Amino acid sequence: MLIDIFLPSFQFSEKHCITISAPPDIIMDVIINNDPSADKLTKILMKIREFPMKLYSFHRAKEIKEPFGFHSFLFLGSQESKEVTYGLIGKFWQFNFGLVSVSTPLEFQQFSNKGVAKLVMNFVITERNDNTSILSTETRVFCPDKKIVMLFSPYWYLIRLASGFIRRRILLQIKYIAEQKGSN
């Protein structure tokens, strides 16, 4: 699996899955072309997460950066109708996420900096014999040393419920769209 190639070792992980009555090719098309930020609850949760950054930026009279969202992730690769993987590097516990820009999957894979964490998220489609598919998503985070683990841990446990809620909403959104397309 691509997630194992891009982030074989990690300290934090969370998985979610859903059954979808649609073939893998339709589900993959929805994953690639879906905009999770269109969901109202996801927007609200992201605005709550960004509030400290906006308050800090306003107080410092700095320009507010583009809002964090799915577009912030780097597309790392896909296996036709089976898996798609995205990555992100940063100091996620900071107000501004401390994102590090990398432009290619190879650059992401080779990136090594003690001061930041690496995150990989994937979607995996497993076709079943009953004309359904299981869509799962896994998020992994690697912290290169104990200091980063200590900095990231409180953030992970603080945002984990909301982040998991967002991923489950994304799965439901994909299910709804894929099943609509699959029934046509």
Side-chain angles (χ1 to χ4, degrees), residues 18-117:
I18 195 166
T19 302
I20 301 177
S21 297
D25 59 326
I26 289 176
I27 297 169
M28 182 61 74
D29 181 63
V30 174
I31 292 167
I32 300 227
N33 295 303
N34 185 41
D35 178 11
S37 64
D39 180 68
K40 289 179 184 179
L41 287 173
T42 299
K43 277 184 185 177
I44 290 168
L45 289 171
M46 290 308 300
K47 286 189 183 293
I48 291 169
R49 166 54 182 96
E50 291 177 341
F51 182 73
M53 177 179 63
K54 289 183 180 183
L55 187 62
Y56 180 80
S57 296
F58 177 77
H59 177 65
R60 299 275 192 230
K62 292 181 180 175
E63 192 176 309
I64 296 174
K65 292 184 175 184
E66 180 180 11
F68 177 79
F70 202 67
H71 64 277
S72 304
F73 286 77
L74 173 66
F75 173 79
L76 296 175
S78 65
Q79 295 180 21
E80 189 173 325
S81 298
K82 290 187 178 154
E83 180 185 15
V84 62
T85 307
Y86 301 91
L88 198 60
I89 300 172
K91 297 177 180 180
F92 309 119
W93 55 92
Q94 292 184 344
F95 289 145
N96 66 357
F97 301 98
L99 297 181
V100 174
S101 179
V102 291
S103 53
T104 68
L106 182 61
E107 190 178 349
F108 178 91
Q109 195 172 15
Q110 293 177 342
F111 184 87
S112 176
N113 183 322
K114 296 278 187 213
V116 297

Side-chain angles (χ1 to χ4, degrees), residues 11-12 114 143-154:
Q11 294 89 355
F12 303 92
K114 296 278 187 213
C143 299
D145 56 44
K146 288 181 182 181
K147 178 183 177 189
I148 300 305
V149 169
M150 288 175 35
L151 289 168
F152 183 75
S153 292

